[in-house]
Amino acid sequence: MSVLDGILEGVREDLAARQERVPLAELRARVADAAPPRDPMPAFRAPGVSIIAEVKRRSPSKGALADIPEPARLAGEYAAGGASAISVLTEGRRFGGSLEDLAAVRAAVDVPILRKDFIVTPYQLWEARAYGADLALLMVVSLDDGLLAELLGLATELGLTALVEVHTGEELERAARVGAELIGVNARDLTTLEVDRSVFAELAPRIPAGAVKVAESGVAGPRDVAEYHAWGADVVLVGEALVRSGDPRTSVRDFLATANANANTNSPA
């Protein structure tokens, strides 16, 4: 069993328990009363690089990362630093997140929010909207073609922007076939947890024209964000480096300033 298989097994067990507690009809009613979702794409398509800053307590690869008693406060610091969106881990067993974290962040910031989880059923997309998400992560590696298309279609119906994540060329082809417009390349292989940042450099030129390119994982500091941007990233998702920084507001500003300054320096006159 791969690392991903083990994670998905726990995700499905926890999902079954939530479905027993909260019927789909209840989620639908909450979504009907919810405010319209925010559209992250204009910011992601704007000149320069954008940052998705992540609320992340721990990970399978690194263990405990940061004590985050108030995710809303951390999200507020990210937004004040210039993050274009906030990613909130909602998986509990391996990442220490929850849907309550998502709701708390939604109440605290006005920027778009990504539900970062292992989404394998339509129920989880209804959850995402019910708890205030504007974006949802769809990982190609954990979905067959039929389910990927179904979930992408439902996300669109709900007003959610789908961040469709890939790690290989074959996964990228599958994402392109279903018409993904926001494509993330994860430098981390979720079956082994190994990180290779060059995966983004390899796949970015193959992302369809018009799609927004997101670089995920492998960021230790501003230079890594700048390098991803130089390789074609419109957006960089950053978690560990920010939660461990001690000053998330300034760190987001530094990441943006370094990447955009390098881009301006290297642009033709």
Side-chain angles (χ1 to χ4, degrees):
M1 178 183 289
S2 71
V3 174
L4 178 61
D5 290 334
I7 293 173
L8 290 174
E9 184 176 287
V11 164
R12 290 190 172 97
E13 290 176 4
D14 294 341
L15 173 60
R18 293 199 307 276
Q19 286 177 301
E20 287 188 7
R21 293 194 306 269
V22 183
L24 179 58
E26 182 176 329
L27 293 178
R28 286 176 178 268
R30 290 176 59 178
V31 169
D33 292 335
R38 295 158 174 80
D39 183 1
M41 297 298 272
F44 289 171
R45 293 187 185 279
V49 72
S50 295
I51 294 289
I52 301 175
E54 194 155 80
V55 177
K56 183 177 185 180
R57 292 187 176 89
R58 61 177 187 260
S59 74
S61 60
K62 299 291 183 66
L65 299 175
D67 181 29
I68 307 175
E70 298 181 75
R73 177 176 292 183
L74 176 59
E77 290 295 296
Y78 287 157
S84 294
I86 310 295
S87 171
V88 181
L89 263 300
T90 58
E91 196 280 332
R93 296 192 185 201
R94 305 293 185 99
F95 293 88
S98 69
L99 287 163
E100 288 69 32
D101 287 348
L102 184 64
V105 171
R106 169 75 294 151
V109 300
D110 290 327
V111 298
I113 297 174
L114 165 69
R115 181 187 183 183
K116 185 95 173 287
D117 210 320
F118 298 81
I119 293 176
V120 291
T121 70
Y123 181 92
Q124 290 164 290
L125 292 178
W126 286 97
E127 281 183 322
R129 277 297 295 129
Y131 281 82
D134 308 290
L135 304 95
L137 180 69
L138 299 180
M139 299 164 55
V140 174
V141 68
S142 60
L143 304 169
D144 63 33
D145 285 350
L147 186 53
L148 175 60
E150 178 188 356
L151 293 177
L152 184 59
L154 177 59
T156 301
E157 290 177 23
L158 293 174
L160 287 164
T161 300
L163 171 56
V164 181
E165 179 182 292
V166 306
H167 178 71
T168 67
E170 186 270 338
E171 290 173 9
L172 175 55
E173 291 174 4
R174 292 176 58 207
R177 281 200 300 269
V178 297
E181 295 183 358
L182 181 64
I183 297 178
V185 176
N186 195 342
R188 188 182 304 280
D189 182 343
L190 293 176
T191 64
T192 65
L193 300 184
E194 294 180 359
V195 175
D196 180 358
R197 296 180 65 252
S198 69
V199 169
F200 181 84
E202 176 189 346
L203 295 184
R206 297 165 58 183
I207 292 175
V212 171
K213 305 176 182 71
V214 184
E216 306 174 39
S217 298
V219 173
R223 290 183 179 179
D224 295 328
V225 175
E227 187 167 46
Y228 272 142
H229 187 39
W231 287 341
D234 304 299
V235 185
V236 180
L237 190 152
V238 187
E240 179 185 343
L242 290 176
V243 298
R244 286 182 159 175
S245 71
D247 187 349
R249 181 186 303 202
T250 300
S251 294
V252 171
R253 286 176 177 165
D254 288 347
F255 285 11
L256 290 168
T258 298
N260 291 320
N262 283 3
N264 291 335
T265 299
N266 295 327
S267 62

